[in-house]
Amino acid sequence: MAAAKKRTISGIEDVRDRKAKVIKDSGEKRHIAALILARGGSKGIPLKNIKVLAGVPLIGWVLRAAVDSKQFDSVWVSTDHDDIEKVAKAWGAQVHRRSPEVSKDSSSSLDTIQEFVRLNPEVDVICHIQATSPCLHPFHLKEALEMITKQGFTSVFSVVRQHHFRWQEVKKGGSVATQPLNLDPSNRPRRQDWDGELCENGSFYIYTRATTERGLQGGKWAYYEMLPEYSVDIDVDIDWPVAEQRVLRFGYFGLDKPEVVRLLLCKVSGCLTDGRVLISVSGEEMVSVNTRDTMGIRMLQREGVEVILISSSEDPVTKALADKLSQRTGCEVRQLGKDIQCEFKAMMDDKDLDWKEVAYMGNDAPDVDCLNLAGLSAVPRDAPVVAINAAKYSCHSAAGLGAVREFSEHILLLKKKAKSQMEQDRIHRNTF
């Protein structure tokens, strides 16, 4: 398996030798591959698969779950678009560059999967994951795969339980009466008295290589039921804000718990400010700071998160300006030299911190290493692509216009989510 990089809250980790422990009937290991189809020509939402959802490219949510599940010998994205390819590789996937023959509007998923299977003869089991299912978690994939590897099924697909009464469709203008399809109107059941129906939620389809010769479901098949809160499928733009709220509550954020963040390192130029320096006739330098951003900093401070504003040697802040910023924000403003990683290491050693306990906000190529190393990292909306690909969160707001406030709220939301989970775990331990 080619080397891959794992993108999680804690950064990048080598997963070259992570092999699925699955045995073929002959005694040999079976190669299990995760495959996400991500064509560039989405008709509903342009480049939907890499549009940012809750700070992460849409496809990043399922790639993170797939890599962190540790169930796959290889993780693939099948695409025909350069930008999707770049994002896929940044999130730990190999890329199947699909042919023009299977990249048409009329091409089916089966056409693409059959091409992938033909070009990758070592693959024995395919887990086809939908990029539009951002609430997928590693445990979903692990449990469903065990139905293939341990229970002998050849095809497993995800479903969700729904309680919808369905009626026969009647064309407009017709005089034919509609008919109930799954209920007796004279004896309508209460919700609690009806088990509902199982419907495909499109999150994933797992099947053996042989199954793909005739379709995506066949042989000895079974369903894997997911709870409704995890069954998010984005098809139209109006779903986006709803999906963001669902993802922030039920999405998978990585292996490490975000409540450990104790320090935010935030660049002044290009993050707290919009990068412009105004110079008066007398030579006095001025910058603009948004009150929303300073409030975000104070919100973090109230929750025990230290905030240090940093200024690089490329964009130095004068001492007078640094003093004003420190007074305005209540933060230390630290001027760094060229070897910023060395200075950060000394700073963290002094505070007895590790990178996983640090959040970093940068905005350009010199910040890439720190964006990768930090437990949480973010860039403003107007950051260059090289920085966006390295960050774990991409802000909707631009630099100097609320990006710091947005990232501060994101940090606090993850801390609250993690604390809630810890409390729930404590309740479970005490109860059972």
Side-chain angles (χ1 to χ4, degrees):
M1 171 181 165
K5 296 293 182 182
K6 184 180 76 170
R7 181 72 162 281
T8 69
I9 290 266
S10 62
I12 296 180
E13 173 182 322
D14 193 4
V15 293
R16 179 183 291 110
D17 295 322
R18 185 173 292 149
K19 297 295 183 179
K21 305 300 182 181
V22 183
I23 308 300
K24 286 184 178 179
D25 293 338
S26 62
E28 299 177 8
K29 291 180 181 178
R30 285 197 284 181
H31 185 114
I32 301 181
L35 177 64
I36 296 97
L37 307 185
R39 192 168 68 91
S42 172
K43 295 301 182 183
I45 307 173
L47 288 179
K48 170 180 63 178
N49 295 306
I50 56 174
K51 182 176 178 180
V52 173
L53 177 74
V56 173
L58 179 60
I59 199 172
W61 289 101
V62 293
L63 282 173
R64 179 159 55 194
V67 173
D68 283 1
S69 73
K70 305 178 185 179
Q71 300 299 303
F72 301 105
D73 294 277
S74 58
V75 177
W76 294 82
V77 169
S78 174
T79 187
D80 59 347
H81 199 280
D82 292 340
D83 290 343
I84 296 177
E85 178 175 352
K86 292 176 184 176
V87 173
K89 289 180 177 178
W91 284 83
Q94 301 179 66
V95 173
H96 160 238
R97 193 69 185 215
R98 62 176 69 177
S99 67
E101 288 73 23
V102 298
S103 300
K104 304 172 184 176
D105 290 342
S106 59
S107 300
S108 67
S109 296
L110 180 60
D111 294 333
T112 306
I113 291 165
Q114 287 177 336
E115 179 184 77
F116 171 80
V117 169
R118 185 173 66 254
L119 296 175
N120 296 275
E122 76 282 2
V123 173
D124 300 298
V125 177
I126 301 96
C127 179
H128 169 204
I129 303 171
Q130 299 274 39
T132 52
S133 301
C135 286
L136 181 69
H137 281 241
F139 76 85
H140 294 136
L141 298 170
K142 182 178 184 297
E143 292 173 357
L145 276 165
E146 287 178 348
M147 299 175 72
I148 296 275
T149 61
K150 295 182 178 181
Q151 299 179 37
F153 291 101
T154 59
S155 173
V156 176
F157 50 93
S158 58
V159 300
V160 64
R161 191 174 300 274
Q162 296 183 344
H163 293 78
H164 296 159
F165 294 133
R166 296 182 292 109
W167 291 78
Q168 183 181 25
E169 182 179 0
V170 176
K171 292 183 179 180
K172 291 183 178 180
S175 58
V176 179
T178 185
Q179 297 295 325
L181 296 177
N182 65 343
L183 81 153
D184 177 2
S186 63
N187 188 26
R188 292 175 67 91
R190 298 182 304 168
R191 183 184 178 90
Q192 59 266 37
D193 295 330
W194 182 42
D195 290 336
E197 296 180 323
L198 295 176
C199 305
E200 291 186 17
N201 68 355
S203 189
F204 59 80
Y205 300 83
I206 309 174
Y207 34 79
T208 60
R209 182 185 188 88
T211 303
T212 63
E213 297 176 1
R214 53 188 180 275
L216 301 183
Q217 294 161 311
K220 184 182 178 182
W221 53 33
Y223 62 79
Y224 175 84
E225 184 175 355
M226 294 174 63
L227 294 175
E229 53 263 38
Y230 299 116
S231 298
V232 177
D233 186 17
I234 300 173
D235 283 324
V236 293
D237 219 354
I238 196 171
D239 293 337
W240 214 263
V242 176
E244 283 200 322
Q245 293 304 311
R246 182 78 67 84
V247 166
L248 288 172
R249 185 173 181 185
F250 298 109
Y252 172 68
F253 287 87
L255 293 171
D256 289 329
K257 296 184 182 297
E259 83 278 1
V260 298
V261 171
R262 295 164 53 192
L263 171 67
L264 168 62
L265 299 172
C266 178
K267 287 187 68 175
V268 173
S269 181
C271 291
L272 181 62
T273 74
D274 60 8
R276 296 183 299 170
V277 176
L278 306 178
I279 305 176
S280 67
V281 175
S282 61
E284 183 181 9
E285 292 186 358
M286 295 174 288
V287 296
S288 173
V289 178
N290 196 299
T291 55
R292 286 182 293 164
D293 291 324
T294 57
M295 179 57 70
I297 289 173
R298 295 192 185 281
M299 289 164 58
L300 289 175
Q301 292 169 330
R302 285 197 294 267
E303 292 296 321
V305 179
E306 182 181 3
V307 181
I308 297 178
L309 301 177
I310 55 178
S311 175
S312 65
S313 57
E314 290 86 0
D315 295 300
V317 174
T318 63
K319 185 180 186 307
L321 193 54
D323 290 343
K324 287 291 185 182
L325 285 172
S326 181
Q327 180 182 354
R328 181 80 180 178
T329 61
C331 303
E332 174 188 356
V333 179
R334 186 170 296 198
Q335 179 71 45
L336 301 177
K338 292 185 177 181
D339 192 355
I340 60 174
Q341 279 198 52
C342 183
E343 294 189 50
F344 283 149
K345 185 178 186 306
M347 182 192 308
M348 287 187 286
D349 287 345
D350 183 58
K351 297 178 180 294
D352 194 25
L353 295 175
D354 188 78
W355 269 113
K356 69 180 181 180
E357 300 172 289
V358 176
Y360 185 88
M361 189 167 196
N363 71 314
D364 216 328
D367 301 307
V368 166
D369 287 341
C370 293
L371 290 168
N372 281 325
L373 288 168
L376 287 173
S377 62
V379 293
R381 183 188 66 194
D382 49 349
V385 173
V386 64
I388 291 174
N389 286 341
K392 286 125 183 134
Y393 184 88
S394 297
C395 295
H396 294 287
S397 303
L401 295 174
V404 173
R405 170 65 177 266
E406 182 181 338
F407 187 39
S408 299
E409 290 180 342
H410 181 67
I411 293 171
L412 295 175
L413 180 65
L414 293 185
K415 286 170 68 68
K416 182 178 179 181
K417 175 184 173 74
K419 288 178 181 178
S420 175
Q421 183 60 52
M422 290 175 65
E423 178 65 16
Q424 192 64 39
D425 291 344
R426 183 188 65 79
I427 293 172
H428 288 336
R429 288 194 300 272
N430 291 344
T431 303
F432 303 103

